[in-house]
Amino acid sequence: MKEKRTLIAIAAAALVIGVIAYVLASQSSFTMGRGMGQHMSGDYLIYYQVKAVLASMNAFLLISLLSMYWKVYSDTGLEFSLGLVIFSFALLLYSLVSNPLLVSVAGFRASGLGPFAMLPDLFTTIASFTLLYISR
């Protein structure tokens, strides 16, 4: 029962982080390509807002997984657990560097990939939540 509550709390926190990311992404002005002053509009803006939400939720879910796997590794010392720690850390780094909010803060521009900009993050979110569910 405690594990179910923990999982629900993690999912709720991920949703809250997603809402915060959406608010931040809605207030950000993403720019496209190399042209100065070409601001995104329409579908591209929606895709990058969704990408920001998914990447932020992924980062939170992966931090949760990383902490769980680290605890298992420190308790058992199994190499498989260390592999899960490294796997989670690599996915966390992917999630952080693919977040359009971080990219825009760093001064780079979006490339305008349309829906293909957010699909990897959608699949990573599904995989992260599945790993979190299995691990609990």
Side-chain angles (χ1 to χ4, degrees):
M1 188 67 163
K2 180 182 175 188
E3 287 138 4
K4 188 174 183 179
R5 276 190 238 155
T6 302
L7 187 61
I8 291 171
I10 290 172
L15 287 175
V16 168
I17 287 173
V19 169
I20 292 169
Y22 176 75
V23 169
L24 291 174
S26 296
Q27 294 174 354
S28 296
S29 60
F30 297 112
T31 56
M32 289 180 56
R34 296 177 186 218
M36 299 298 264
Q38 276 185 315
H39 292 283
M40 276 190 202
S41 62
D43 289 345
Y44 288 121
L45 183 60
I46 292 168
Y47 294 142
Y48 277 91
Q49 287 173 341
V50 171
K51 182 173 176 60
V53 168
L54 291 173
S56 299
M57 289 173 63
N58 282 338
F60 177 76
L61 292 172
L62 288 164
I63 288 169
S64 300
L65 276 171
L66 186 62
S67 67
M68 286 181 356
Y69 291 149
W70 182 257
K71 183 178 181 320
V72 170
Y73 175 69
S74 64
D75 289 346
T76 63
L78 294 174
E79 287 183 20
F80 181 73
S81 298
L82 180 60
L84 291 173
V85 167
I86 294 168
F87 174 77
S88 299
F89 186 70
L91 279 178
L92 175 62
L93 290 178
Y94 163 77
S95 184
L96 291 175
V97 299
S98 72
N99 193 329
L101 294 173
L102 181 68
V103 171
S104 66
V105 167
F108 294 100
R109 294 174 185 81
S111 62
L113 296 172
F116 295 103
M118 68 173 186
L119 287 177
D121 293 296
L122 176 64
F123 298 138
T124 304
T125 301
I126 294 167
S128 299
F129 192 74
T130 303
L131 280 174
L132 189 62
Y133 180 76
I134 290 170
S135 297
R136 282 319 221 162

